[in-house]
């Protein structure tokens, strides 16, 4: 039993010695492992910081490069918007002409069966503005024809102004036929009449643009814009729209008839027998 106790003591001491040796060994290995991994962690941290600094530098450089480009695009957009505003400001007003249907509906009368008489198809040429110009020209030519017809008739009837037309030329001495009366007028007198008619035409177009809406941009075709030339006493100001429409229709119809009449009188005066039922004029 003494021997077994001795062996047991030796075995315990050996185990305790082994345990004593194992603890320092474990501590050493752990310390060595920690010291081995410590530089790797620091290197990884340094690499991460270096990559972050590089990314930040690249991002900063990209922003610095992109800012001028963005500024240029913003400036170009502002310039385009400014040009668009200037173009819209300087652009002419939109054309809002009287429609062709409205123009053609006025002037249709019972004499033509309440139909549009246009055998040459002139109403189909161009658009609304063209037809407005046609109607304006028709009304003005009708007015000139009415004045010419009345003047031709007055001369033929022996009516004249008192006094002299020119130095040494009395109104009473003017021939009573139309073309002969025109030939008797001195050249300077003819120039004055043509200039007066031209000034009326010029100021009519001028006042249409300055004092109202032009007949090709929504104004009324045939409307006279020369102050004092038509209705100087303002009788039409109190008339209703229906009465004004009736007056315009009468003017158009009388103007058409006057154009036919003055053309017939001119033909009869120029070509003998051109109008059989018309006496010498």
């Amino acid at each position: 039993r003494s021997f077994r106790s001795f062996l047991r003591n030796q075995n315990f001491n050996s185990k305790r010695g082994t345990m004593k040796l194992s603890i320092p060994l474990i501590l050493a290995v752990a310390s060595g492992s920690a010291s081995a991994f410590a530089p790797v962690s620091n290197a990884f941290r340094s690499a991460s910081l270096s990559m972050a600094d590089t990314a930040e530098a690249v991002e900063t450089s990209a922003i610095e490069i992109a800012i001028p480009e963005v500024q240029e695009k913003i400036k170009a957009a502002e310039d385009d918007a400014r040009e668009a505003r200037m173009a819209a400001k300087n652009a002419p007003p939109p054309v809002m002409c009287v429609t062709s249907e409205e123009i053609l509906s006025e002037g249709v009368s019972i004499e033509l069966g309440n139909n549009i008489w246009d055998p040459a198809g002139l109403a189909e040429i161009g658009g609304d503005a063209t037809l407005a110009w046609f109607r304006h020209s028709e009304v003005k030519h009708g007015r000139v024809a009415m004045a010419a017809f009345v003047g031709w008739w007055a001369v033929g009837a022996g009516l004249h102004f008192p006094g002299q037309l020119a130095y040494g030329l009395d109104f009473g001495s003017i021939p009573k036929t139309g073309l002969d009366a025109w030939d008797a007028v001195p050249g300077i007198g003819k120039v004055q009449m043509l200039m007066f008619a031209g000034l009326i035409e010029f100021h009519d177009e001028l006042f249409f643009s300055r004092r109202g809406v032009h007949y090709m941009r929504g104004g009324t075709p045939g409307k006279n814009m020369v102050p004092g030339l038509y209705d100087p006493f303002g009788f039409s100001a109190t008339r209703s729209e229906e009465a004004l429409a009736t007056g315009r229709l009468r003017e158009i119809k009388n103007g058409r008839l006057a154009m036919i009449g003055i053309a017939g009188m001119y033909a009869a005066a120029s070509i003998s027998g051109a109008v059989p039922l018309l006496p010498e004029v």
Side-chain angles (χ1 to χ4, degrees), residues 165-167 182 184-196:
L165 174 63
Y167 181 77
W182 173 255
V185 176
I188 189 63
K190 296 176 182 178
V191 171
Q192 290 175 357
M193 287 187 282
L194 294 175
M195 289 184 62
F196 179 72

Side-chain angles (χ1 to χ4, degrees), residues 40-82:
V40 175
S41 176
N42 292 335
F44 180 77
R45 187 180 299 108
S46 301
S48 301
L49 293 176
S50 178
M51 291 175 64
D53 294 341
T54 302
E56 183 179 359
V58 171
E59 183 178 0
T60 302
S61 301
I63 292 174
E64 291 177 353
I65 295 173
I67 286 177
E69 296 180 357
V70 173
Q71 290 177 344
E72 291 179 0
K73 292 181 178 179
I74 294 175
K75 185 176 182 301
E78 291 177 349
D79 293 340
D80 293 340
R82 190 181 301 107

Side-chain angles (χ1 to χ4, degrees), residues 148 151-152 155 165 169 173-195 197 266 269 281:
W152 198 305
V155 171
L165 174 63
L169 178 63
S173 63
I174 295 178
K176 291 182 173 52
T177 55
L179 294 182
D180 292 337
W182 173 255
D183 292 337
V185 176
I188 189 63
K190 296 176 182 178
V191 171
Q192 290 175 357
M193 287 187 282
L194 294 175
M195 289 184 62
Y266 181 85
V281 291

